[in-house]
Amino acid sequence: MRELEERIRRDGQVLPGGILKVDSFVNHQVDAALMDRCGRELAARFAQLGATKVLTAEISGIAPALTTALHLGIPVVYARKTKPITMPDQVYLTLAPSHTKGRTVELIVSPEYLATGERVLIIDDFLASGATILGLVRLAEAAGARVIGIGALIEKTFEGGRAALESVGVPVESLTRIDAMDGGRIIFAA
Amino acid sequence: MRELEERIRRDGQVLPGGILKVDSFVNHQVDAALMDRCGRELAARFAQLGATKVLTAEISGIAPALTTALHLGIPVVYARKTKPITMPDQVYLTLAPSHTKGRTVELIVSPEYLATGERVLIIDDFLASGATILGLVRLAEAAGARVIGIGALIEKTFEGGRAALESVGVPVESLTRIDAMDGGRIIFAA
């Protein structure tokens, strides 16, 4: 998606440790109109697959997942990282290593909102190592739901996430693909 | 807003401790289309005030704030509760007691995205005691920005938030107002 790529080129910042900072339009501050267009594009790419629910992880997955769900006309569920008091005692819980937090986080979904027979589209802001998304896949499978597609705004191809997701056997779509971040320069896939 | 009130009446659950559980359409699972209509309604109520930015707090404020920002054509900033590694060392930080967490949480905004001269519309899912929203007001003021309005999806009038916000001196709009939750029954303001 050219618009998102140009925005990353203009406003993205490469930080030490292979971190791409997009806090001015994706995380922390969100360009709502851009996020809506990203959601429309992701929805279009998965429109034929009959998804019944979008699944993401809090916090930064919420914005792209919400706009994708809006354009597909289905609800979105965001996995929690801490169990709120409103959640039942019995939950689906998995552990996933967090790239940006440097530790393992819990991903928790209530059985109330993820059920057998659902067709789940997983959406996140980044596809890097794929660890968070694989955690969401495990939650969906634990619920007896079927993952039908995986979408992300930004893929860092050099972190191997796409290969890690191959075993899921579903289409993986990213709106932009970054092949390298060298000396502060962002190199997109051709 | 009648649609939201009817949805709360149908799907909201009163839990012990005065908690209103709306996890099936606002928190955890989000009805994206409903959230879009709530955002459009909040945007309409503040349309004349010249907001340049929507400010909210992660996590559950993100969905209504994003759709409100979308309909106003402005960006949204969500205050973080933990400082991510992408954030500069110098930040705006305030403490706010969290009703549902039973403890004090930090609200953190980067000076990169909240500046002097901004006209800030604060949006959150709930207006209860007003503590979180007052925290967001302090962050905006610390940044030299001006709060021009406060909006929420659901106001619990019996928790006193509206009075607590009076000193801010700006319009406060909530899409639904709950006067009491007695024995599991939800009583809306007339």
Side-chain angles (χ1 to χ4, degrees):
Chain A
M1 187 179 172
R2 182 182 297 263
E3 182 190 4
L4 182 59
E5 187 173 314
E6 282 169 2
R7 187 63 175 272
I8 294 167
R9 220 183 276 279
R10 197 184 81 195
D11 293 336
Q13 285 174 264
V14 181
L15 302 188
I19 303 283
L20 176 62
K21 174 174 171 172
V22 287
D23 285 10
S24 66
F25 55 106
V26 174
N27 310 133
H28 199 26
Q29 178 168 266
V30 181
D31 181 330
L34 172 65
M35 203 54 63
D36 187 54
R37 290 189 288 272
C38 290
R40 183 188 297 146
E41 174 67 24
L42 285 168
R45 294 194 190 186
F46 294 104
Q48 305 309 318
L49 298 183
T52 60
K53 204 158 277 185
V54 172
L55 178 65
T56 191
E58 68 180 28
I59 301 163
S60 53
I62 296 176
L66 179 67
T67 56
T68 302
L70 184 58
H71 287 284
L72 285 171
I74 58 179
V76 54
V77 170
Y78 53 92
R80 309 296 310 247
K81 289 176 182 168
T82 53
K83 187 172 168 299
I85 50 177
T86 52
M87 208 180 265
D89 292 335
Q90 196 72 26
V91 298
Y92 300 119
L93 184 153
T94 192
L95 297 174
S98 167
H99 180 59
T100 40
K101 289 195 177 170
R103 59 177 174 86
T104 296
V105 298
E106 294 184 340
L107 296 174
I108 307 167
V109 167
S110 169
E112 300 163 294
Y113 313 120
L114 204 55
T116 305
E118 298 245 40
R119 296 174 62 82
V120 171
L121 172 61
I122 294 174
I123 297 289
D124 208 355
D125 56 343
F126 277 93
L127 167 55
S129 72
T132 303
I133 290 172
L134 281 172
L136 294 172
V137 169
R138 289 193 299 276
L139 289 176
E141 288 173 349
R146 184 169 156 198
V147 176
I148 56 92
I150 294 166
L153 299 178
I154 305 170
E155 178 177 352
K156 293 156 104 178
T157 64
F158 55 96
E159 292 197 25
R162 191 170 283 266
L165 296 175
E166 213 160 85
S167 63
V168 186
V170 299
V172 176
E173 295 278 350
S174 44
L175 298 186
T176 57
R177 304 184 68 198
I178 295 172
D179 277 349
M181 303 193 304
D182 290 337
R185 250 188 89 218
I186 301 165
I187 297 157
F188 288 92
Chain B
M1 186 179 172
R2 182 181 296 263
E3 182 190 6
L4 182 60
E5 189 174 312
E6 282 170 3
R7 188 63 174 272
I8 294 167
R9 220 182 277 277
R10 198 184 80 195
D11 293 336
Q13 287 173 260
V14 181
L15 302 187
I19 304 284
L20 175 62
K21 174 173 171 174
V22 287
D23 285 10
S24 65
F25 55 106
V26 174
N27 310 132
H28 199 25
Q29 178 167 267
V30 181
D31 181 329
L34 171 65
M35 203 53 64
D36 187 53
R37 290 189 288 272
C38 289
R40 181 188 300 145
E41 174 67 24
L42 284 167
R45 294 195 189 185
F46 294 104
Q48 306 308 319
L49 298 182
T52 61
K53 202 158 279 186
V54 172
L55 178 64
T56 190
E58 69 180 27
I59 300 164
S60 53
I62 296 176
L66 179 67
T67 55
T68 303
L70 184 59
H71 287 285
L72 285 171
I74 58 179
V76 53
V77 170
Y78 53 91
R80 308 297 309 248
K81 289 178 183 168
T82 53
K83 186 172 168 298
I85 50 178
T86 51
M87 208 180 264
D89 292 335
Q90 196 72 27
V91 297
Y92 300 118
L93 184 152
T94 191
L95 298 174
S98 166
H99 179 60
T100 41
K101 289 194 177 170
R103 57 178 176 83
T104 296
V105 298
E106 294 184 340
L107 295 175
I108 309 168
V109 166
S110 169
E112 299 164 294
Y113 313 120
L114 204 54
T116 305
E118 299 245 41
R119 296 173 63 83
V120 171
L121 172 61
I122 294 175
I123 298 288
D124 208 355
D125 55 343
F126 277 93
L127 166 56
S129 72
T132 303
I133 290 172
L134 280 172
L136 294 171
V137 169
R138 290 193 297 276
L139 289 176
E141 287 172 350
R146 182 169 158 200
V147 175
I148 57 90
I150 295 166
L153 300 178
I154 305 169
E155 178 178 353
K156 292 155 104 179
T157 63
F158 55 96
E159 292 196 25
R162 190 170 285 265
L165 296 176
E166 212 160 87
S167 62
V168 186
V170 300
V172 176
E173 294 278 350
S174 43
L175 298 187
T176 56
R177 304 184 70 198
I178 295 172
D179 277 350
M181 303 193 304
D182 290 337
R185 249 189 90 217
I186 302 165
I187 297 157
F188 288 92

